[in-house]
Amino acid sequence: MSEQPLNPHSTPAEAPDDDAPGTVPVGRPAVGSTASGSTAADALADAAADVTAEETAALRAASFERARRLRQEPRFPGGPAADPAGSHHERRIRSFQPRRSRVTTGQQDALERLWPKWGLDIDGQRVLDLAEMFDGLPVVLEIGFGMGEATAQMAADDPGTGILAVDVHTPGQGNLLGLADRAGSTNVRVANGDAVILLREMLAPESLDGLRVYFPDPWPKARHHKRRLIQPEFLDLVAPVLKPGAVVHCATDWEPYAEQMLEVLTAHPRFANTAADGGYAPRPAFRPLTRFEGQGLDKGHVVHDLLFTRV
């Protein structure tokens, strides 16, 4: 957040807080004041109070700096990094907001045990060898898997397909790793970070057999539409890393976003709609009914699936 300048015409109610660095508490004269009744002892007390205020400000600044460093450090040693591609320093509109909610004991255990084996940070520093990573299986990329229930189910139902699942939500990452482990699925890898950097810098041309984007954040307010993931620029990144014939599968229960997805995908020259009428497709059997989807259906939402092939 940017700092706001102080209003020179502020009312007493708008005046800076007493504890704000560099301010003089209300009702106490500044050092050097010549107010009547002041004594040398008062001046010394004021000077001591000012020193204390400066020390308090320094301690507060140090606390903020420690908090900033903690936000950049991994929550679990050897686990997903807090900001894996921080070296990029990109000023770019993103379609996601990292969330730091509570990690359960089971999720923490899965992160500590399985992240070194099945997890990776999207740092933009290397190109992934998907054939080696997935033992030669065809690989689909899933962007945004939530708590991972649907991803784990698809992996268990189709062990012949590798799933590279990307998200920034640490509890979800741990949950998916735990679900895959309990199901005995070895065809899931969990990627932590920005999918745009993954697509742009870490995937070889024509290395993916599909892309899945299920229930992405709809960013419903008009001023936030630019944050939606499915945009022409995003498809420009996706097309080169998909094999010809690879399927892009999107699903949403937000009607205006579904309309935008259909419009953007239809207009892109590298993608063709699999629906004969050029509209939405029935939900394919391989996509499980997610908890989020069930909540939307309970509210009367209509879920739209879109399936396009890369030409």
Side-chain angles (χ1 to χ4, degrees), residues 5-306:
L6 294 177
N7 181 357
H9 305 294
S10 62
T11 64
E14 298 170 332
D17 293 337
D18 291 354
D19 295 330
T23 63
V24 178
V26 176
R28 188 182 69 204
V31 175
S33 169
T34 58
S36 61
S38 63
T39 65
D42 292 334
L44 289 174
D46 288 342
D50 284 344
V51 171
T52 302
E54 292 175 1
E55 291 174 347
T56 300
L59 290 172
R60 184 177 298 165
S63 177
F64 289 158
E65 176 61 21
R66 285 194 299 271
R68 184 190 66 80
R69 289 199 304 268
L70 285 173
R71 287 194 298 269
Q72 295 178 345
E73 294 176 358
R75 301 178 70 182
F76 308 101
D83 186 13
S87 60
H88 285 63
H89 298 297
E90 290 188 279
R91 297 182 62 85
R92 170 169 52 82
I93 296 172
R94 286 172 168 79
S95 63
F96 62 91
Q97 289 181 321
R99 296 168 293 158
R100 285 211 161 196
S101 53
R102 187 178 67 87
V103 176
T104 67
T105 302
Q107 293 162 359
Q108 179 175 346
D109 173 71
L111 287 167
E112 293 174 348
R113 288 189 302 106
L114 302 171
W115 186 263
K117 180 180 180 182
W118 289 342
L120 64 104
D121 284 317
I122 300 174
D123 56 13
Q125 303 300 315
R126 67 198 189 281
V127 176
L128 301 177
D129 186 341
L130 297 183
E132 178 180 358
M133 186 180 296
F134 288 93
D135 297 324
L137 296 177
V139 179
V140 299
L141 173 65
E142 182 177 358
I143 299 177
F145 55 80
M147 294 306 293
E149 295 97 336
T151 306
Q153 185 64 54
M154 289 186 290
D157 292 344
D158 184 13
T161 297
I163 301 177
L164 178 58
V166 180
D167 210 306
V168 295
H169 188 42
T170 309
Q173 294 166 350
N175 202 58
L176 174 55
L177 288 172
L179 290 172
D181 185 45
R182 289 192 291 275
S185 300
T186 60
N187 55 329
V188 176
R189 302 293 181 271
V190 178
N192 167 54
D194 190 342
V196 168
I197 294 176
L198 175 71
L199 289 164
R200 190 182 65 202
E201 302 177 25
M202 298 182 67
L203 294 177
E206 298 187 1
S207 58
L208 291 177
D209 293 83
L211 170 68
R212 298 168 180 171
V213 183
Y214 299 153
F215 304 97
D217 194 327
W219 295 102
K221 295 181 180 179
R223 68 177 184 272
H224 292 156
H225 286 181
K226 59 189 176 184
R227 295 183 178 274
R228 289 176 173 174
L229 181 63
I230 306 302
Q231 308 274 4
E233 298 80 7
F234 174 74
L235 296 181
D236 290 340
L237 288 176
V238 169
V241 300
L242 291 176
K243 297 176 182 177
V247 174
V248 173
H249 182 194
C250 302
T252 181
D253 66 335
W254 192 259
E255 186 80 25
Y257 197 8
E259 295 171 354
Q260 176 184 325
M261 289 180 176
L262 183 60
E263 178 181 352
V264 170
L265 282 161
T266 300
H268 202 284
R270 302 292 296 276
F271 297 98
N273 199 336
T274 63
D277 61 357
Y280 304 111
R283 179 174 69 88
F286 67 81
R287 182 176 74 75
L289 184 69
T290 68
R291 179 176 56 179
F292 184 88
E293 182 177 0
Q295 292 172 351
L297 293 172
D298 290 342
K299 297 176 183 177
H301 296 182
V302 177
V303 176
H304 292 292
D305 284 78
L306 301 93

